[in-house]
Amino acid sequence: MKTPNRVFPIPGWIALLFLVVTAPGRAAPADRPTGSISGRIQNVVSGQYLNSVRVSVKGTDLVAFTDQSGSYRLAGIPGGPVVLEVFYTGLDPQQVPLTVPPGQNVERDVGLTSVARYGDDGTVKLDSFVVSTSRETDGEAIAINEQRFAANIKNVVAADALGDVMDGNVGEFLKFLPGITAEYDTESGGSVASVSVRGFPTSMAVLSADGLQMSNTGNPQGSSRVFQFKEVSINNISRLEVTKIPTPATPADSLAGSIDMVSKSAFERKSARLGYSVSLAGIHEHLSLQKVPHTSDQKVYKVLPSFSFDYTLPITKTFGFVLTGQNGNRWVEQQRVPRGYNAAGTNTGASFSRPFLQSFQLTSVPRANARNSVGVKADWRATPSGVLSLNLERSRFISDRSQASIGLTTGTNAAPTPATGTPMTFGDNFTNGATGRGGVTLMGTGASVIQKLDTKAANLRYRFDNGTWRVVAGFGKSSSEGGYQDTRDGRFRTLGIAMMNPVRVTFADINDVRPQTIRVFDNANRELDLYDINNYRLNTAQSTPRPIIDSLTNGKLDVRRSLGFLSFPAAVQVGGLHRAQTRDVRRESINWTYNGLDGNAATPESPAPYRVTAYGNQRENFGFRTM
């Protein structure tokens, strides 16, 4: 059955107007000629330009904060000698004396360091501990400094503060932040799929990139607003900002809060920098560098390479770009052995105090996950106070899952059929099913599918701040295609394969994991081989393809004006947001009945013609062999 295309409109143009007032203090007299000071602030040891450095004029309430490129600008400064105070958490504060000519701008760059950490000459002495300690300290300083001067309650963490993140998954990074609860996706190998903020449902937290929301098709249901991290990579991100308290300037659908992924900027560094990482990943059971059999009946590599890089190139003082890329591959093994106990049944004598093991299932769903991403960002300082940034990204996530499963049940009726057969008996560590009441099935659970997600995004952002006016404008467009694909790739999601006739199933030596002994008998009490495919019949096949297309266009504009004519620091801000999203979700449920190679449905048909060849006689976990 196909569902019609659906469009989910999101309300647009939200008018925002609020007045920001801080504690009264001294401001520059309005009747004196004024000038301005601008420049950039850098960590002279790491070479990184610093964001949110507090720059103030001593003896006044004139304060400015550096932007992502380390740039600041102070306007309305009384002419004459002044002292510039520069503060950043984790580095030594500085006082810089200057003379400001009336009506002119003074450019002054400032380099910060920490004498206690680096010494008087700024030399970094490397040993086996300093490198990692320095990175952790820098990440902590960034977080503390951003949160110290934030306008509301939020957490800010540099993306490299925790070192390498598994698969480049942003969720694996966010889960360490306070107030964040990770939600895992067992279908993608147990990695973090999404997060909730402050205990609210995941759908109530808006996730954006540089302030603009991105399209997403990671959720297999398609109709959910939940953003899944399969389609973004932390390799493109400089820092993450988690805002827990909405303000009038945040979107109305961010009830729980918002998460903004701030992309890397060419103005973060003074000189070119190339960072890269190369690795091999595998699991201890499959460490061979040769191709080995896989449940898809192919031979594949299970020790997989990965690499990532980011290249920052500031070409001039006013223009530069950042190029990032990642190819992450990981092999994931997943073995599940659910057991079902029954406290009822016909003539069984079972109760809640004395249940019997009715069913046991082994599901093996190994998968190969691949996460690929590439991004380029160009930054141009069009004016001394304005920066124009263009960011282009593309990412692709592929999860190839080929399952193998077996399910066994003793049945729920203690009376045998035929009546001359063996009745059910059970105890604390065994269950002997009744003749003709049990069953064995293959390939009835799990999934044999390929999930492919492809996202393309572009956004243009302009930020202007001259100390009096601050304008932030952005326009973004993204599209994503994804969903489950099975029959298109020659797969069935599930198969209906069962033993030829009703059987008697016995479980013995039951422990905390599984029954160590499993035996199956026919109605003549002859034991059957679980691993002989000729004892089974192929009945049905089923598929549920779920193609999803999501496109999103959004734009925002915020304009802020400092009210310097007042005797206390104040500002007024007005802004708007427009967001339009179209989502096309289609889901089919297709069922087939197998009539055999000769088309005669009257006789049971064995799945033997389709038996695997490359994967034969492979060992499964928990003591089983090839399914």
Side-chain angles (χ1 to χ4, degrees), residues 393-435:
E393 292 184 44
R394 181 164 187 179
S395 61
R396 197 177 194 198
F397 177 83
I398 301 176
S399 182
D400 186 343
R401 311 199 300 270
S402 296
Q403 63 97 359
S405 68
I406 182 171
L408 303 102
T409 179
T410 62
T412 59
N413 195 324
T417 175
T420 56
T422 303
M424 173 188 284
T425 59
F426 67 91
D428 292 338
N429 65 345
F430 73 93
T431 300
N432 293 322
T435 300

Side-chain angles (χ1 to χ4, degrees), residues 111-452:
L112 297 181
T113 185
S114 171
V115 174
R117 289 166 57 190
Y118 305 122
D120 294 332
D121 59 356
T123 302
V124 183
K125 298 179 180 179
L126 299 179
D127 57 33
S128 58
F129 299 97
V130 171
V131 175
S132 59
T133 303
S134 175
R135 180 164 68 174
E136 293 170 3
T137 305
D138 290 341
E140 182 181 0
I142 291 172
I144 295 174
N145 193 75
E146 291 276 354
Q147 293 167 100
R148 180 195 296 270
F149 298 120
N152 57 351
I153 300 176
K154 69 177 182 179
N155 295 107
V156 183
V157 182
D160 61 354
L162 296 180
D164 295 331
V165 177
M166 182 180 67
D167 295 345
N169 187 336
V170 177
E172 294 288 341
F173 184 93
L174 284 171
K175 70 181 181 182
F176 294 107
L177 299 185
I180 299 293
T181 303
E183 297 189 1
Y184 292 87
D185 181 12
T186 57
E187 293 187 349
S188 293
S191 60
V192 177
S194 55
V195 296
S196 65
V197 182
R198 298 192 299 128
F200 282 82
T202 306
S203 58
M204 293 186 180
V206 172
L207 194 141
S208 59
D210 292 327
L212 299 172
Q213 192 171 337
M214 293 178 61
S215 60
N216 189 267
T217 55
N219 190 294
Q221 301 306 319
S223 58
S224 171
R225 294 198 316 172
V226 175
F227 187 97
Q228 293 206 351
F229 296 111
K230 299 174 184 177
E231 295 170 82
V232 293
S233 172
I234 201 169
N235 190 54
N236 302 326
I237 298 170
S238 173
R239 65 181 186 274
L240 292 120
E241 300 181 351
V242 181
T243 303
K244 299 178 182 178
I245 304 297
T247 67
T250 55
D253 55 355
S254 56
L255 179 63
S258 59
I259 301 172
D260 189 33
M261 301 178 294
V262 181
S263 59
K264 295 178 178 178
S265 169
F267 294 146
E268 290 181 355
R269 298 189 176 275
K270 187 176 182 179
S271 57
R273 176 185 179 274
L274 173 64
Y276 61 91
S277 172
V278 180
S279 63
L280 282 175
I283 56 178
H284 69 282
E285 293 184 345
H286 303 285
L287 290 181
S288 172
L289 296 179
Q290 305 295 323
K291 285 187 175 182
V292 295
H294 177 38
T295 49
S296 63
D297 203 28
Q298 298 174 321
K299 289 189 174 183
V300 299
Y301 291 106
K302 294 190 176 182
V303 176
L304 301 174
S306 298
F307 75 90
S308 65
F309 74 92
D310 65 276
Y311 180 52
T312 303
L313 179 61
I315 298 175
T316 67
K317 190 176 181 180
T318 60
F319 180 76
F321 69 88
V322 178
L323 179 64
T324 62
Q326 179 190 32
N327 174 252
N329 301 283
R330 187 164 67 98
W331 184 265
V332 182
E333 286 280 358
Q334 189 177 68
Q335 303 276 349
R336 300 194 295 264
V337 282
R339 296 171 296 161
Y341 281 86
N342 198 325
T346 304
N347 302 318
T348 63
S351 64
F352 283 106
S353 60
R354 189 171 175 265
F356 66 93
L357 180 63
Q358 176 199 326
S359 63
F360 175 79
Q361 177 182 302
L362 168 69
T363 301
S364 175
V365 194
R367 71 203 66 211
N369 290 344
R371 184 190 303 271
N372 302 301
S373 70
V374 63
V376 60
K377 183 179 181 182
D379 296 290
W380 175 42
R381 188 173 298 278
T383 67
S385 303
V387 176
L388 182 65
S389 300
L390 174 64
N391 190 28
L392 304 174
E393 292 184 44
R394 181 164 187 179
S395 61
R396 197 177 194 198
F397 177 83
I398 301 176
S399 182
D400 186 343
R401 311 199 300 270
S402 296
Q403 63 97 359
S405 68
I406 182 171
L408 303 102
T409 179
T410 62
T412 59
N413 195 324
T417 175
T420 56
T422 303
M424 173 188 284
T425 59
F426 67 91
D428 292 338
N429 65 345
F430 73 93
T431 300
N432 293 322
T435 300
R437 299 294 188 179
V440 183
T441 60
L442 301 178
M443 304 295 288
T445 61
S448 183
V449 298
I450 297 179
Q451 185 181 31
K452 296 180 180 179

Side-chain angles (χ1 to χ4, degrees), residues 35-46:
S36 60
I37 305 175
S38 62
R40 302 180 74 183
I41 299 178
Q42 181 186 33
N43 183 328
V44 296
V45 176
S46 67

Side-chain angles (χ1 to χ4, degrees), residues 10 96 104 150 166 186 295 339 418 434 473 485 524 535 571:
I10 296 178
V96 182
Q104 297 185 31
M166 182 180 67
T186 57
T295 49
R339 296 171 296 161
Q485 303 163 8
N535 290 330

Side-chain angles (χ1 to χ4, degrees), residues 295 334-340 358-365 402-409 439-447 494-499 503 505-507 514-515 518-520 528-533 535-536 615 618 620-627:
T295 49
Q334 189 177 68
Q335 303 276 349
R336 300 194 295 264
V337 282
R339 296 171 296 161
Q358 176 199 326
S359 63
F360 175 79
Q361 177 182 302
L362 168 69
T363 301
S364 175
V365 194
S402 296
Q403 63 97 359
S405 68
I406 182 171
L408 303 102
T409 179
V440 183
T441 60
L442 301 178
M443 304 295 288
T445 61
T494 59
L495 294 172
I497 302 175
M499 277 201 161
V503 292
V505 177
T506 67
F507 300 137
R514 56 154 291 187
I518 300 175
R519 302 176 70 186
V520 180
L528 303 175
D529 184 0
L530 281 175
Y531 301 103
D532 186 353
I533 199 171
N535 290 330
Y536 295 85
Y615 192 67
Q618 296 299 306
E620 304 286 353
N621 286 339
F622 305 102
F624 287 86
R625 50 190 170 93
T626 179
M627 294 293 98

